[in-house]
Amino acid sequence: MDAATILSSLALRWRYAGESLQARWIALLDVIGDDPMRLWVYGTTIIIFFVYWIYAALFTIMDITNRPKFLRKYKIQPGQNEPVDLGRLWKAVKVVAFNLTVVNFFTTWLLYEVSLRHNNITDIRQLPSFGRIIRDFVIFVIMEETMFYYVHRLMHHRSVYKYVHKKHHEWTAPVAAMTLYAHPIEHVLANLLPVGISVSLLGTHVVVAWGIISLAVINSMSDHTGYSFPWSGGSVRFHDYHHAKFNYNYGVTGWLDKLHGTYRATHEKNQPQAKTKAVKSKRKRK
């Protein structure tokens, strides 16, 4: 089979997959309706809620039972939350539940009224092309990272930190369920608005937005699990170090941290501590 035949076969399969997804989307809309407000506000709130708690449940069971044992070796901070304190966990769960329901709903509704209803409802029954999906995803990553980094740094300013962001940093060794354990102001400014503004400016289709937001939630939760598996991304240890040391690694990908000198490599478990000791030794010799 030559290359032309293979490419032709792949193109046909891709076209069939696109047509199949389009047909399923139309069938779903015929059941739930195609009212843009309902899809953007209610749909987005419900999807985030279920993605968050399904993913959190997997790790919460591990944090409570300390099982399976063979996964304990992947803990980034051994001895922390083994097992997790149930009273402290329940306190975090209540805050997160409020953020995921009340705060998410009203913020999404406000975003819809201000922007989404004007920029993101054209041909809502028609799914975008694969190229458009890739474009939106790539630009979203850049935009969201930029906004999150600077808002996150602002949250660490001494005039703001103790009133807002300190709540999130009560967990110096994070667990998945506390990912969105944050003051409502922080949740809106750091978590929701960077995502909402990016999606709005890009004119992203609601289905693509659901996919991008779900991936963003899962990625953020993975960074807070307290585990670094062989398949985990570099951002897991990167962000865990931020919780342990506070003033480094503000972003997600790390490129703005490198630009502004707030980056600390964490690929070696004891590297940060070793660097700190070396600096102290030099000071003593001086």
Side-chain angles (χ1 to χ4, degrees):
M1 187 180 291
D2 59 20
T5 305
I6 294 174
L7 290 174
S8 177
S9 176
L10 289 173
L12 285 173
R13 291 184 181 183
W14 181 256
R15 181 179 176 183
Y16 173 77
E19 291 174 350
S20 177
L21 288 172
Q22 178 64 54
R24 290 172 185 237
W25 173 239
I26 294 297
L28 177 63
L29 291 181
D30 288 341
V31 175
I32 65 175
D34 58 3
D35 176 47
M37 196 281 283
R38 183 182 299 174
L39 293 172
W40 274 108
V41 180
Y42 289 92
T44 303
T45 302
I46 291 170
I47 286 171
I48 293 174
F49 184 90
F50 280 102
V51 168
Y52 188 96
W53 288 120
I54 290 171
Y55 197 64
L58 300 174
F59 286 93
T60 301
I61 292 170
M62 292 168 57
D63 292 328
I64 292 174
T65 65
N66 276 346
R67 287 184 172 81
K69 292 289 186 183
F70 69 89
L71 292 179
R72 309 312 297 173
K73 63 184 177 182
Y74 298 115
K75 283 283 289 182
I76 299 174
Q77 298 185 49
Q80 298 293 320
N81 300 315
E82 294 186 300
V84 66
D85 181 89
L86 292 180
R88 192 175 181 218
L89 179 64
W90 177 238
K91 176 187 174 184
V93 165
K94 289 187 288 185
V95 172
V96 172
F98 178 79
N99 283 337
L100 283 172
T101 52
V102 177
V103 180
N104 275 19
F105 179 84
F106 284 105
T107 304
T108 307
W109 172 78
L110 184 61
L111 278 168
Y112 175 80
E113 291 296 329
V114 171
S115 181
L116 294 172
R117 68 183 302 173
H118 306 293
N119 301 327
N120 301 70
I121 61 171
T122 303
D123 256 344
I124 207 162
R125 297 180 73 89
Q126 179 65 45
L127 294 178
S129 67
F130 179 70
R132 174 61 186 268
I133 294 171
I134 295 300
R135 188 213 74 163
D136 282 6
F137 178 76
V138 171
I139 299 177
F140 170 87
V141 170
I142 297 171
M143 293 176 66
E144 196 275 339
E145 169 76 1
T146 303
M147 285 184 275
F148 177 77
Y149 177 86
Y150 291 112
V151 172
H152 193 184
R153 283 204 69 173
L154 174 64
M155 291 292 166
H156 277 263
H157 191 277
R158 55 186 167 184
S159 63
V160 178
Y161 178 81
K162 66 179 179 179
Y163 301 108
V164 180
H165 193 47
K166 185 177 181 180
K167 188 177 192 69
H168 185 69
H169 273 284
E170 290 174 11
W171 290 77
T172 54
V175 296
M178 60 69 55
T179 302
L180 295 182
Y181 176 71
H183 191 288
I185 292 176
E186 176 186 349
H187 184 49
V188 172
L189 295 180
N191 298 328
L192 299 181
L193 286 186
V195 173
I197 292 173
S198 299
V199 165
S200 178
L201 291 177
L202 289 169
T204 304
H205 190 280
V206 66
V207 170
V208 180
W210 288 345
I212 290 174
I213 293 168
S214 296
L215 289 174
V217 169
I218 291 172
N219 182 69
S220 181
M221 295 184 73
S222 297
D223 291 348
H224 288 85
T225 59
Y227 292 87
S228 181
F229 302 111
W231 59 84
S232 296
S235 63
V236 175
R237 284 188 178 276
F238 178 83
H239 191 73
D240 193 272
Y241 185 77
H242 172 75
H243 271 265
K245 301 299 180 183
F246 294 1
N247 294 321
Y248 304 103
N249 300 354
Y250 293 103
V252 178
T253 63
W255 59 276
L256 278 172
D257 285 286
K258 291 178 180 178
L259 177 66
H260 291 292
T262 55
Y263 178 84
R264 290 297 181 275
T266 55
H267 55 279
E268 293 180 15
K269 189 173 180 180
N270 295 322
Q271 184 179 17
Q273 291 87 341
K275 285 185 175 181
T276 302
K277 290 178 181 178
V279 171
K280 288 182 178 178
S281 297
K282 288 180 180 178
R283 287 176 179 173
K284 287 180 179 179
R285 285 196 294 270
K286 288 180 180 179

